Amino acid sequence: MGRFTAACVQMTTGIDPQTNLETATRLIERAARAGAQFIATPEMTGCMNINAGDRRATIYEQSEDPLLKAFQNLATDLKVTLLIGSLAFKADNDERMANRSCLISSEGSLIATYDKIHMFDVEVGDGQTYRESSTYRPGERAVLAETPHATLGLSICYDLRFPHLYRQLAQNGAQILTCPAAFTKVTGEAHWHTLLRARAIETGSYVIAPAQSGVHEDGRETFGHSLVTDPWGQIVAESTVYGEDVILAEIDTAEVAAVRGRIPSLSKEQPFTISKK
């Protein structure tokens, strides 16, 4: 652990998984050639399809998923740690799917998986109503993962609006918080930068947030602006490209300890009660 180069891959994922695999592979290879040792892709790397019926026809059990196997082989070939922001898998004993991050070692093994806990059930004012819980089963556990680079706390997209998740991850050892996302254009313009910087400031952690960007085949439009913030809440890398992109950032985990030493809020909580008058 110490210093390393991280990359965010930004995509405009479409409907066909094989085409998306080819795009993601090209961008991951680009990041590796630029020197990245840790590379993260956005939520729904494998497919963006608002039609749940069509989407279910293209998913597999995790152990049989061809995209995951391809990404495991890619991580091995490139000798990088690879976070696939999320893929959709069949969920045990549920008609719904799992929206799952997959963290892959440079040897191709699965270090950890994380199922998105908070479902995007909202009306944001862009002409669409989102009911993610009708398609995806929410996860029930937070996940910390050890890598050669740092201890990661995993999350996905809408989780970003629930600060207690990130605080508990940091209090239990996370140095870097990952938040692969597919923020809508409306919510991204309003809240993306503020929320990511707030999570970094509150926890004294790096935040790595690869994002979907652009107009997708299924009609949705996502905000993009993949970015990396440091533990002080400063943006150290950001994509200003509308569509596909790769950004890189130098990470120094010593900064996490330094910032938490300056403002030790994680260890200074005081118990309190709420009095309603």
Side-chain angles (χ1 to χ4, degrees), residues 154-176:
L154 306 184
S155 72
I156 299 173
C157 200
Y158 191 53
D159 285 332
L160 185 59
R161 295 183 182 273
F162 299 85
H164 58 284
L165 170 62
Y166 298 87
R167 187 168 187 83
Q168 291 183 45
L169 287 169
Q171 287 174 327
N172 283 277
Q175 299 163 297
I176 296 174

Side-chain angles (χ1 to χ4, degrees), residues 11-201:
M11 298 176 64
T12 313
T13 296
I15 292 173
D16 178 55
Q18 183 60 39
T19 300
N20 299 325
L21 172 61
E22 293 168 2
T23 298
T25 297
R26 171 171 50 81
L27 294 170
I28 291 166
E29 289 175 340
R30 174 178 155 189
R33 287 195 303 270
Q37 298 145 293
F38 173 84
I39 303 170
T41 70
E43 182 184 27
M44 288 292 115
T45 291
C47 179
M48 286 274 285
N49 190 349
I50 205 164
N51 187 322
D54 292 346
R55 184 68 192 94
R56 289 189 181 96
T58 67
I59 66 166
Y60 297 81
E61 301 284 350
Q62 180 181 298
S63 61
E64 300 174 355
D65 189 84
L67 267 66
L68 178 57
K69 291 177 181 177
F71 286 128
Q72 288 178 281
N73 291 333
L74 183 61
T76 303
D77 292 343
L78 298 176
K79 299 293 187 291
V80 298
T81 304
L82 185 57
L83 177 69
I84 302 303
S86 80
L87 299 170
F89 296 106
K90 290 182 178 178
D92 295 336
N93 303 315
D94 201 312
E95 290 296 316
R96 295 172 296 177
M97 298 175 279
N99 186 352
R100 183 172 296 163
S101 277
C102 297
L103 182 62
I104 304 168
S105 77
S106 58
E107 289 78 37
S109 62
L110 269 179
I111 300 171
T113 62
Y114 164 74
D115 288 3
K116 185 176 182 179
I117 293 174
H118 300 98
M119 297 290 98
F120 190 56
D121 292 354
V122 301
E123 297 179 14
V124 299
D126 63 354
Q128 294 187 7
T129 297
Y130 300 88
R131 290 291 179 265
E132 193 174 26
S133 63
S134 67
T135 305
Y136 293 97
R137 180 194 68 185
E140 298 178 342
R141 63 186 179 93
V143 175
L144 287 166
E146 296 291 341
T147 75
H149 316 293
T151 303
L152 306 185
L154 306 184
S155 72
I156 299 173
C157 200
Y158 191 53
D159 285 332
L160 185 59
R161 295 183 182 273
F162 299 85
H164 58 284
L165 170 62
Y166 298 87
R167 187 168 187 83
Q168 291 183 45
L169 287 169
Q171 287 174 327
N172 283 277
Q175 299 163 297
I176 296 174
L177 304 169
T178 59
C179 189
F183 256 55
T184 69
K185 184 175 186 290
V186 170
T187 59
E189 288 177 342
H191 301 145
W192 175 248
H193 293 82
T194 301
L195 288 170
L196 288 167
R197 293 188 64 206
R199 299 298 86 85
I201 293 165

